[in-house]
Amino acid sequence: QSLYGYRAIDAGLVLGPGALMITLLAPIGARLVQKGIVHPRILLGCSLVGVAASMWYYSTFNLATNYGHYALARVFQGLGYAFFFVPLNVVAYSELRPDQNNRASSLTNLFRNWGGSFGIAFITTMSERRFDYHQSVVSAAVPQTSGLLEQRVRALTTFLVHHGFSVGDARGAALANVYHQLGNQAHMLAYMDCFRVLGWVTLAVAPLTFFIRRFRARSVCLVSSRRATRPK
């Protein structure tokens, strides 16, 4: 939103297609697990690979990327998450007795919240540090004696003077505009680095699904559905 000047509704339109994809495909994933057509660990592995691929797709964007590419990336990401949450819950409760479900739910929610908090803190810190790095690199690549920089500042100054600015104010505003563009480029590069890290981490976690024990996923789903429909 800050880099592209999106309103809240514009951001919602970007996020909406991915949420719609999850809404449509999550019941299909649940049915595949319940019918025993696909084992949960296979769905988990495929979903993690899909999410990692979507993060790599995100990392190729730039400030000229339009709405369509972002919406498509969200659909791609939603395609991975759609087959993630149901198999994950099935795996979490697969080896438990019914009387252990409450404690297991507490633990899974604890680790889910802890992981989310750690991830947000890590990515926020990383984005700020990468911003400082890219800002220094981009600034070093554009010295004050650069002819292109001076040409850009002169053109902006002339434009602002023609629109009522004084020469001094116009040059100051032109320099501020160039610095703002440099900051946007540095922020964008920092975000792309974060997406690459998320892609690598997600891909590194995917092989862990092969260590999940084999179990009868159908019976787990049936027990869960009976507990959900049991009158209280």
Side-chain angles (χ1 to χ4, degrees):
Q1 284 184 254
S2 60
L3 292 180
Y4 289 86
Y6 281 179
R7 302 168 299 168
I9 189 172
D10 297 326
L13 291 174
V14 171
L15 300 176
L20 179 61
M21 181 64 64
I22 296 175
T23 303
L24 294 177
L25 296 183
I28 298 177
R31 181 64 62 178
L32 291 175
V33 174
Q34 184 175 354
K35 295 293 185 180
I37 299 174
V38 181
H39 197 274
R41 67 178 183 175
I42 296 178
L43 284 180
L44 279 177
C46 293
S47 65
L48 289 173
V49 172
V51 172
S54 70
M55 293 300 157
W56 277 102
Y57 183 53
Y58 274 119
S59 68
T60 62
F61 291 170
N62 54 52
L63 291 175
T65 302
N66 58 18
Y67 163 81
H69 285 85
Y70 273 105
L72 180 61
R74 283 292 299 176
V75 170
F76 195 13
Q77 185 181 1
L79 183 63
Y81 283 132
F83 299 103
F84 178 78
F85 295 106
V86 172
L88 181 65
N89 287 328
V90 171
V91 170
Y93 296 97
S94 62
E95 301 290 333
L96 302 179
R97 301 188 308 271
D99 61 296
Q100 296 175 322
N101 286 351
N102 290 334
R103 283 177 290 178
S105 177
S106 300
L107 285 175
T108 54
N109 288 328
L110 170 65
F111 283 107
R112 206 174 272 176
N113 293 330
W114 180 85
S117 299
F118 175 81
I120 293 172
F122 173 75
I123 291 299
T124 301
T125 303
M126 179 183 173
S127 65
E128 291 297 327
R129 292 186 177 181
R130 296 303 293 177
F131 166 73
D132 293 337
Y133 168 77
H134 285 297
Q135 187 179 40
S136 63
V137 171
V138 175
S139 299
V142 186
Q144 294 183 357
T145 57
S146 172
L148 291 176
L149 175 61
E150 183 59 31
Q151 182 180 358
R152 177 63 177 171
V153 172
R154 189 181 303 114
L156 286 173
T157 302
T158 303
F159 174 82
L160 293 174
V161 168
H162 288 165
H163 285 76
F165 282 69
S166 65
V167 176
D169 291 341
R171 183 168 180 82
L175 290 172
N177 181 268
V178 171
Y179 178 76
H180 178 70
Q181 294 181 22
L182 184 147
N184 286 344
Q185 291 285 352
H187 272 298
M188 192 69 180
L189 292 172
Y191 295 150
M192 297 305 102
D193 290 343
C194 291
F195 282 125
R196 292 188 187 96
V197 169
L198 289 173
W200 278 115
V201 171
T202 306
L203 192 62
V205 172
L208 295 178
T209 58
F210 293 105
F211 296 95
I212 298 175
R213 291 183 181 181
R214 292 186 176 274
F215 59 90
R216 296 183 61 185
R218 184 178 180 183
S219 62
V220 174
C221 291
L222 290 175
V223 170
S224 300
S225 63
R226 288 171 183 168
R227 286 177 57 83
T229 56
R230 184 181 302 169
K232 297 182 180 180

